[in-house]
Amino acid sequence: MRRREFIALLGGTAATWPLAAHAQQPAVPMIGVLSAGSPDPGLTDIEAAFERGLAEKGYVAGRNVTIERRWAGGNYDRLPPLAQELVRLNPALIRVGGNVVALAARRATTTIPIVFNIASDPVKLGLAKSFAHPGGNATGISILTATLTLKRLELIRELLPQNATLGFLVNPDNQDLLLEIEDVARSTGQSLEVAKARNPADLEPAFARLVRAQVGAVLVSNDALFLSQRVQLIALAKRHSLPATYEFREFPAVGGLMSYGPSLPETLKKVGTYAALILKGAQPSDLPIQQPTAFELVINLATARSLGITIPPSFLLRADEVIE
């Protein structure tokens, strides 16, 4: 080979090295997010908390990780096809919120890691073998809503006449949670008037049923539909002069009477941390399922006044936050 031809060949080969090296770089990992609700500007702090959890472990959305979201719009029937759609995208992991959503994702894949925040016991749901050693492809945070419901019952009873009947609003598609809460009510010797709503159009008839039953207050269950429809729920409670208690601060923040439960932003931050650990190579089977250790009592004093409810000073002293 002539010297000039050799130099030309060498130069051409060197020019391809950067392209070849780039082609061998691993693709930016993608997180799939499956949600039962709809995009909600009022919950941006929750999504931001998830991304903070990722960022604390070195993953910044849009830089070295991407997020692909699918929304069911409050229609649980859409969850299975949306879960399959995410699985076909082959994400590094799938993040889910709520019992029904977690189960839909688990039915769609037993290999792609799933990070959840759910309302019930993941072992009873079949998502894990144990809290300490999940053993499968799913791990995350379990809020254990049924236990919190007992506390919420005790709190709202302090503000009502002694013999007041309590109502309970539930999404019948979330059957596991409904059964758990009915067990809690039976264990206390209290009966609950159950009203069911599986979509926004069901909310008004559900409240009408509770009014006909002359309930003194209503407990709104932990459900993605109710969180997304919190403004409508609170308007219905006010229209019917019904005291209502919720699980998350996001309800009294927009006019609900009272909430007792964990912080949703803190919960989602922990979910983000677990997602980052999995992106770094951790196996969900080895990551213990966590439970919240801090719970917030939030009271909207303006709503209490509008309902003619006097909150005792001793009750207010127990509150973590009083909204004026």
Side-chain angles (χ1 to χ4, degrees):
M1 184 180 292
R2 295 177 182 175
R3 180 174 180 272
R4 184 177 297 174
E5 291 171 346
F6 176 75
I7 292 172
L9 176 62
L10 186 63
T13 303
T16 67
W17 285 347
L19 293 175
H22 177 75
Q24 291 170 5
Q25 292 297 314
V28 173
M30 184 261 283
I31 295 173
V33 175
L34 181 61
S35 172
S38 303
D40 188 337
L43 300 178
T44 53
D45 59 328
I46 296 174
E47 287 303 311
F50 172 69
E51 293 187 15
R52 281 201 307 275
L54 284 170
E56 284 187 3
K57 297 293 182 181
Y59 289 95
V60 179
R63 185 185 302 169
N64 58 353
V65 66
T66 61
I67 300 176
E68 189 74 24
R69 293 179 170 85
R70 294 294 182 271
W71 306 89
N75 182 354
Y76 281 7
D77 292 336
R78 294 186 61 203
L79 289 171
L82 289 174
Q84 291 286 356
E85 187 178 322
L86 281 176
V87 168
R88 285 193 292 271
L89 295 176
N90 194 30
L93 63 95
I94 298 175
R95 189 199 100 195
V96 296
N99 294 1
V100 182
V101 188
L103 290 170
R106 182 60 178 272
R107 292 184 188 109
T109 178
T110 57
T111 55
I112 296 173
I114 297 169
V115 184
F116 56 68
N117 62 293
I118 57 174
S120 298
D121 183 333
V123 178
K124 290 181 179 177
L125 289 177
L127 291 169
K129 293 179 180 177
S130 71
F131 277 75
H133 303 285
N137 67 319
T139 189
I141 314 295
S142 172
I143 294 174
L144 294 183
T145 284
T147 304
L148 289 175
T149 299
L150 182 58
K151 180 64 176 178
R152 289 166 59 205
L153 276 167
E154 294 170 354
L155 288 167
I156 196 69
R157 279 233 174 259
E158 292 186 43
L159 305 179
L160 299 176
Q162 188 173 1
N163 297 321
T165 301
L166 292 178
F168 184 68
L169 181 66
V170 67
N171 185 337
D173 289 334
N174 205 339
Q175 186 67 20
D176 296 291
L177 185 58
L178 173 58
L179 293 174
E180 286 180 8
I181 290 172
E182 286 178 339
D183 285 343
V184 168
R186 278 193 294 270
S187 72
T188 63
Q190 302 180 48
S191 61
L192 293 178
E193 180 69 30
V194 177
K196 299 177 181 179
R198 61 166 32 99
N199 56 59
D202 292 338
L203 293 176
E204 194 147 353
F207 267 81
R209 172 176 176 160
L210 294 172
V211 170
R212 287 194 301 272
Q214 297 183 325
V215 301
V218 57
L219 281 79
V220 176
S221 71
N222 175 355
D223 191 273
L225 168 67
F226 301 150
L227 183 63
S228 67
Q229 298 297 317
R230 62 195 179 283
V231 173
Q232 182 186 353
L233 276 170
I234 289 161
L236 284 167
K238 287 184 177 179
R239 186 197 310 169
H240 295 294
S241 299
L242 267 179
T245 175
Y246 313 88
E247 191 157 314
F248 302 117
R249 182 194 178 277
E250 283 67 23
F251 288 88
V254 292
L257 174 63
M258 181 173 67
S259 68
Y260 181 79
S263 162
L264 270 181
E266 282 302 311
T267 299
L268 266 292
K269 183 180 175 184
K270 291 178 181 177
V271 171
T273 300
Y274 258 24
L277 291 175
I278 289 171
L279 292 177
K280 288 178 179 289
Q283 296 299 311
S285 58
D286 299 327
L287 292 174
I289 294 165
Q290 298 185 49
Q291 293 177 258
T293 56
F295 303 96
E296 305 173 328
L297 173 59
V298 181
I299 300 166
N300 190 311
L301 206 53
T303 299
R305 292 192 194 102
S306 70
L307 293 169
I309 296 174
T310 301
I311 308 289
S314 59
F315 197 100
L316 291 174
L317 286 173
R318 282 181 276 158
D320 298 278
E321 181 181 1
V322 176
I323 298 172
E324 296 285 349

